[in-house]
Amino acid sequence: MRQGRVAYAGSAEALEVTDAYPSRQGQPSRIIGRGEPVVFSETPVGKYSLAGEHLRFYRENGYLLLKGWFTEEATALMQEEFARLLANREIRDLENVICEPGSREIRSLFDLPVLSALYGRLCRSRRVLDAVMQILGGPVYLHQSRINIKPAFWGKSFPWHSDFETWHVEDGFPRMRCLSCSIFLTENNHWNGPLFVIPGSHRHYVSCSGLTPDDHYRESLKNQYYGSPDVKILGKLMDQGAIETCTGGPGDMLIFDGNMMHGSPDNISHLPRTNIFLAYNSCENPPVEPYCGLKRRPAFLASRECTPLVPLDDD
Amino acid sequence: MRQGRVAYAGSAEALEVTDAYPSRQGQPSRIIGRGEPVVFSETPVGKYSLAGEHLRFYRENGYLLLKGWFTEEATALMQEEFARLLANREIRDLENVICEPGSREIRSLFDLPVLSALYGRLCRSRRVLDAVMQILGGPVYLHQSRINIKPAFWGKSFPWHSDFETWHVEDGFPRMRCLSCSIFLTENNHWNGPLFVIPGSHRHYVSCSGLTPDDHYRESLKNQYYGSPDVKILGKLMDQGAIETCTGGPGDMLIFDGNMMHGSPDNISHLPRTNIFLAYNSCENPPVEPYCGLKRRPAFLASRECTPLVPLDDD
């Protein structure tokens, strides 16, 4: 097993320990029990903190859909900003702008604060951070931000995966003290390739077989082949928790645990599916060197600026 | 425009007319209005005939889901027969048994009466034929029969298409007097690549651009590239009729018009989706030569034995 430098929750002290969540080290796929809480604090942080019922659902299921979380006005501004970025042909050669395999159509925009001041404010808004800091129990930083476009008719599926598995193996997150917020910019319905989740899967770490190739991220942004769990283990998780579809409309926000198993089918409908994803990590869980032993991923995919975000009052 | 020999509904007389539904003749994609009724007769044919409400729904929407249409016992027999066929490795080299691209896993079984006496009786059972002969207004024959398996995790999507477009262009069906019955052998849920339909699309024939290559069927059974309608026209149909998902359980039967626009996404779930499809054509709509001018498809895909089926009493 490879070694990593781990800072334990609640401690500023860093110490060497063995890899708590080994994966892609040539062993068979298996399940490792979660060693951390899901909700690190119930104490309200601000006016957008979550109520008891919400926190209970999130702890049990690993995700929470907040319907109409953003006002119509705020949602319209986010949509307009997105349209401006899509229309900007100059950004398509940037490293943080990913096009569909075999075309020049934009599939993902990464590192949103660099692309847009509006999205930069969104990442630090109370409406997002109050819930995030409450669940993760303290200061957080933005690990990754992106917009995923799943275009009408041609949008490709995403295979099942846990984000934390990648963040652990490729970015050096020691522990599961991280989550994502997905803000819907379009309808997410049963036909346009919505997010499928396995409720309860966040309590089980699925260690994957195989190894991580060099510069895996270049390929994995378009087609994911590594870090995909064994289908027998997936089948077990699905038998236990079934599958749920996260449907909703513009302005809804989905929060999901970093270790939630999720995937999405292709989009054969006439409506694109476009969502913002903001991934946060606790400042008490700073990344060590990647557990796969390879070099760090670029900063647009995995920031290492662990400075605590200061929430902005958004309205 | 190519010529075809057409027997009009209600007439035994054959006469030469121009192609009423030209497609894949090098013209741009466009919509042609349906020239035939949807329900040819409301007169009950037997004890499994449809009631007024059912017929109205079918006429308006182009499809009808009959929940629990087969008894549990009959469904179990059909499932067991399917398991026997799947386990039979010898049939995998038959022309009418189609494997997944790049593997030896069975994707489709064609010409069911040849493979199984049980399925042969099913194709002629009153429980199927009473409704079919009622809708198509008289004697019918079996144009095509198959089982489609969309395997767990890997099952591929089917792009949008009208079966009639293919049956017209490649098999020489003059008119829209044909339909399919889909009998569910497994759950068809939101996650295992269910059938998507566009209600009302059966009233609009979408003439496709492009041409039909020689021996198109060999490729189209695995990956469909021709006979796929223009996305702008598809988008219009979807805006008018939205999209519906045909979910159901083992023993349900879905009847849908030959010109219903349908497709299905991939299956990333842990449950395979397996359905029987039986396609019937009216004996008053016998096929002429293929309107694409190419040779006929093989009989396992497109029977030309227009002898009226005699219903069997199944219980």
Side-chain angles (χ1 to χ4, degrees):
Chain A
M1 259 182 227
R2 296 194 181 90
Q3 303 285 311
R5 176 172 289 271
V6 173
Y8 276 110
S11 155
E13 198 180 338
L15 66 165
E16 295 287 340
V17 293
T18 52
D19 181 351
Y21 297 111
S23 184
R24 297 189 243 164
Q25 302 193 356
Q27 296 133 321
S29 190
R30 65 192 169 101
I31 288 182
I32 299 171
R34 183 186 183 106
E36 287 80 44
V38 177
V39 175
F40 284 76
S41 164
E42 300 214 354
T43 312
V45 179
K47 64 179 175 177
Y48 297 114
S49 291
L50 301 175
E53 192 57 48
H54 277 158
L55 287 175
R56 270 194 294 280
F57 187 92
Y58 183 86
R59 181 185 290 114
E60 188 170 324
N61 296 284
Y63 71 99
L64 177 67
L65 182 65
L66 299 162
K67 302 288 284 183
W69 194 246
F70 288 88
T71 63
E72 279 185 30
E73 194 186 3
T75 305
L77 287 175
M78 290 189 284
Q79 290 169 326
E80 286 158 21
E81 186 75 348
F82 170 68
R84 265 194 295 276
L85 288 169
L86 259 201
N88 183 345
R89 302 191 73 84
E90 290 173 17
I91 63 171
R92 297 188 192 181
D93 291 318
L94 295 175
E95 188 190 32
N96 54 323
V97 175
I98 313 296
C99 292
E100 284 283 334
S103 95
R104 287 275 290 170
E105 294 303 306
I106 292 176
R107 169 166 175 165
S108 302
L109 298 160
F110 281 86
D111 207 355
L112 301 183
V114 163
L115 294 171
S116 152
L118 182 92
Y119 292 145
R121 288 193 299 276
L122 172 70
C123 298
R124 293 188 291 146
S125 68
R126 279 214 171 276
R127 207 175 279 263
V128 175
L129 285 185
D130 279 358
V132 172
M133 291 170 66
Q134 183 184 22
I135 292 172
L136 298 184
V140 299
Y141 70 96
L142 187 66
H143 168 66
Q144 187 188 90
S145 58
R146 67 181 193 275
I147 298 181
N148 268 4
I149 303 109
K150 192 176 275 197
F153 296 113
W154 314 115
K156 301 287 188 306
S157 60
F158 268 91
W160 295 98
H161 66 285
S162 145
D163 292 330
F164 172 74
E165 195 272 346
T166 297
W167 298 340
H168 177 72
V169 172
E170 300 191 23
D171 299 333
F173 278 27
R175 296 279 166 178
M176 296 179 185
R177 196 167 177 176
C178 51
L179 56 71
S180 286
C181 296
S182 174
I183 300 160
F184 298 174
L185 294 185
T186 62
E187 286 292 321
N188 281 235
N189 59 37
H190 284 293
W191 307 286
N192 65 355
L195 196 74
F196 290 174
V197 295
I198 309 177
S201 61
H202 62 305
R203 288 188 292 256
H204 309 282
Y205 179 76
V206 184
S207 164
C208 299
S209 59
L211 293 167
T212 309
D214 284 355
D215 282 344
H216 169 229
Y217 77 90
R218 287 185 202 281
E219 190 55 35
S220 73
L221 293 176
K222 301 190 178 187
N223 295 298
Q224 185 149 359
Y225 295 112
Y226 300 89
S228 293
D230 180 83
V231 293
K232 279 190 193 154
I233 291 182
L234 273 179
K236 265 189 212 165
L237 291 179
M238 291 171 186
D239 277 338
Q240 280 169 22
I243 303 176
E244 290 291 337
T245 306
C246 298
T247 58
D252 293 355
M253 181 165 85
L254 177 79
I255 311 180
F256 60 103
D257 184 87
N259 191 47
M260 161 67 73
M261 190 63 74
H262 60 287
S264 66
D266 46 2
N267 178 9
I268 68 166
S269 86
H270 62 316
L271 298 175
R273 192 210 69 167
T274 305
N275 296 334
I276 295 173
F277 286 90
L278 308 177
Y280 295 94
N281 187 27
S282 165
C283 292
E284 300 188 32
N285 188 40
V288 296
E289 291 307 312
Y291 287 88
C292 60
L294 298 177
K295 66 183 182 202
R296 298 173 176 186
R297 296 201 295 171
F300 78 86
L301 283 177
S303 165
R304 288 176 170 260
E305 293 186 13
C306 301
T307 319
L309 292 173
V310 179
L312 289 178
D313 285 312
D314 53 346
D315 51 318
Chain B
M1 259 181 224
R2 298 192 179 90
Q3 302 285 311
R5 176 170 289 272
V6 173
Y8 277 110
S11 156
E13 197 181 338
L15 66 165
E16 296 287 338
V17 291
T18 53
D19 181 352
Y21 297 111
S23 185
R24 296 188 243 164
Q25 301 192 357
Q27 296 133 320
S29 188
R30 66 193 169 103
I31 287 182
I32 299 171
R34 183 185 183 106
E36 288 81 44
V38 177
V39 174
F40 284 77
S41 163
E42 299 214 354
T43 312
V45 180
K47 65 178 173 175
Y48 298 114
S49 291
L50 301 176
E53 192 57 47
H54 276 159
L55 287 174
R56 269 194 295 280
F57 186 92
Y58 183 86
R59 181 186 289 113
E60 188 170 324
N61 295 285
Y63 71 98
L64 177 67
L65 182 65
L66 299 162
K67 302 288 285 182
W69 194 246
F70 289 87
T71 63
E72 280 186 29
E73 194 185 4
T75 305
L77 287 174
M78 290 190 283
Q79 289 168 328
E80 286 158 19
E81 187 75 346
F82 170 67
R84 264 194 295 276
L85 287 169
L86 260 201
N88 183 344
R89 303 192 73 83
E90 289 173 19
I91 63 171
R92 297 187 192 183
D93 292 317
L94 296 176
E95 188 189 33
N96 55 325
V97 175
I98 313 296
C99 292
E100 282 284 334
S103 94
R104 287 276 290 169
E105 294 303 307
I106 291 175
R107 170 167 174 164
S108 303
L109 298 161
F110 281 86
D111 208 355
L112 299 182
V114 164
L115 295 171
S116 152
L118 181 92
Y119 291 144
R121 288 195 299 278
L122 172 70
C123 297
R124 294 188 291 147
S125 67
R126 278 212 171 278
R127 205 174 282 261
V128 174
L129 285 184
D130 279 358
V132 173
M133 292 171 66
Q134 184 184 22
I135 291 172
L136 297 183
V140 299
Y141 70 95
L142 187 66
H143 168 66
Q144 188 189 89
S145 58
R146 68 181 193 276
I147 298 181
N148 269 4
I149 303 109
K150 192 175 277 197
F153 296 111
W154 314 115
K156 299 288 188 304
S157 60
F158 268 91
W160 294 97
H161 66 284
S162 143
D163 291 332
F164 172 75
E165 194 271 349
T166 297
W167 298 340
H168 178 72
V169 172
E170 301 191 23
D171 298 333
F173 278 29
R175 295 280 168 178
M176 296 179 187
R177 196 168 177 174
C178 50
L179 56 70
S180 287
C181 297
S182 173
I183 299 159
F184 298 173
L185 295 185
T186 61
E187 286 291 321
N188 281 233
N189 59 37
H190 283 293
W191 308 285
N192 66 357
L195 197 73
F196 289 174
V197 296
I198 309 178
S201 62
H202 62 305
R203 289 188 293 256
H204 309 281
Y205 179 76
V206 184
S207 166
C208 299
S209 59
L211 293 166
T212 309
D214 284 356
D215 283 343
H216 169 228
Y217 75 89
R218 286 186 202 281
E219 190 54 35
S220 74
L221 294 176
K222 301 191 179 187
N223 296 299
Q224 187 150 359
Y225 295 110
Y226 301 91
S228 293
D230 180 84
V231 292
K232 279 188 193 156
I233 291 182
L234 272 180
K236 267 188 212 165
L237 292 178
M238 291 171 187
D239 277 337
Q240 280 169 23
I243 303 175
E244 289 290 339
T245 307
C246 298
T247 57
D252 293 355
M253 182 165 84
L254 177 79
I255 312 180
F256 60 103
D257 184 87
N259 191 46
M260 161 67 73
M261 189 64 72
H262 61 286
S264 65
D266 47 0
N267 177 9
I268 66 165
S269 86
H270 63 313
L271 298 175
R273 192 210 69 167
T274 305
N275 296 333
I276 295 173
F277 286 89
L278 307 176
Y280 295 94
N281 187 27
S282 166
C283 292
E284 300 188 33
N285 187 40
V288 296
E289 290 308 311
Y291 287 88
C292 60
L294 298 177
K295 65 182 185 205
R296 298 173 175 185
R297 295 200 297 171
F300 77 86
L301 283 177
S303 166
R304 289 176 169 262
E305 292 187 13
C306 301
T307 318
L309 292 174
V310 179
L312 289 179
D313 285 312
D314 51 345
D315 49 323

